[in-house]
Amino acid sequence: MSITGTPASYLGALTRVAMHESGGNPRAINLWDSNAKAGHPSKGLMQTIDSTFNAYKLPGLGDIWNPVANAVAAIRYMNARYGSISNVPGVRSAKYVGYKNGGRKRGNDPVLVGENGPELADLPDGTQIHNTNKTQELLKQQKGNISINFSPVINIKIDGGTGTTESNIDRAVRAALERAFKDFIPIINSGVAY
């Protein structure tokens, strides 16, 4: 995820994709679907076909069976095809249960929260997690006293050559900010964030 600049909040979604696609097996190969029948079986952790893997792999990550290389290519493909991991059909339609009805966190391990996609929360034992209705009620009571921070982390890899002009770097940063803001917009458009 860090290689592609993917926020930690997508860990649950990417895990769900990997488990759905390969059961978490980086050596998985699909020999029965339409891709396989066409001579292009899906391979590896995220089940990419050779042509997709080759189009989205990064230098030094050219082994489709390597789970990191396979995940990097798959993440880059998902972002290119759907604009964001949160828009991938299997991710978007998934029903997350977790703490959606609220509850009290037990233990010190991070938990996944969020009804419109996974959000990793590293909270102390006993922390109260409120459901959507209670959260909206609390936010409305705090109108004007809520602070929302938008602090995306953008990683830029500069390899040199003709693609590293200032304007190309500027375009890459702007595109990354737009993708991050697109994921952030539902939060501020929820009707309870002011």
Side-chain angles (χ1 to χ4, degrees):
M1 290 174 62
S2 65
I3 292 170
T4 61
T6 302
S9 60
Y10 285 113
L11 176 61
L14 291 170
T15 300
R16 188 165 43 247
V17 170
M19 295 308 290
H20 174 77
E21 293 294 335
S22 69
N25 179 4
R27 302 297 295 173
I29 185 167
N30 184 327
L31 298 173
W32 60 267
D33 71 359
S34 60
N35 287 325
K37 289 176 184 171
H40 313 287
S42 303
K43 301 174 183 174
L45 184 66
M46 303 294 259
Q47 290 291 283
T48 58
I49 61 174
D50 288 327
S51 60
T52 301
F53 177 81
N54 289 327
Y56 291 96
K57 69 183 179 184
L58 288 177
L61 295 172
D63 179 3
I64 198 168
W65 300 109
N66 177 304
V68 173
N70 194 282
V72 165
I75 289 168
R76 294 183 75 221
Y77 167 75
M78 286 184 260
N79 284 328
R81 169 106 191 243
Y82 301 103
S84 170
I85 293 166
S86 61
N87 293 329
V88 173
V91 172
R92 179 170 233 154
S93 64
K95 300 284 186 203
Y96 177 73
V97 179
Y99 289 93
K100 107 178 192 180
N101 295 318
R104 190 160 304 275
K105 180 184 177 286
R106 298 287 178 221
N108 292 315
D109 293 330
V111 295
L112 289 175
V113 297
E115 294 173 9
N116 292 322
E119 300 164 356
L120 189 62
D122 193 2
L123 305 168
D125 181 36
T127 300
Q128 178 65 45
I129 299 172
H130 299 289
N131 67 20
T132 300
N133 293 335
K134 181 67 174 177
T135 298
Q136 288 178 353
E137 177 186 321
L138 291 169
L139 288 173
K140 286 178 183 176
Q141 292 171 8
Q142 296 294 317
K143 185 175 181 178
N145 296 322
I146 299 295
S147 158
I148 297 176
N149 298 308
F150 177 66
S151 305
V153 174
I154 300 172
N155 297 306
I156 300 173
K157 181 179 180 183
I158 300 175
D159 293 327
T162 59
T164 59
T165 65
E166 186 176 337
S167 64
N168 286 348
I169 293 170
D170 182 58
R171 273 195 297 277
V173 170
R174 287 178 186 275
L177 281 171
E178 285 177 16
R179 283 191 303 273
F181 191 69
K182 182 179 179 184
D183 291 340
F184 185 68
I185 266 298
I187 296 168
I188 61 175
N189 283 340
S190 66
V192 296
Y194 303 94

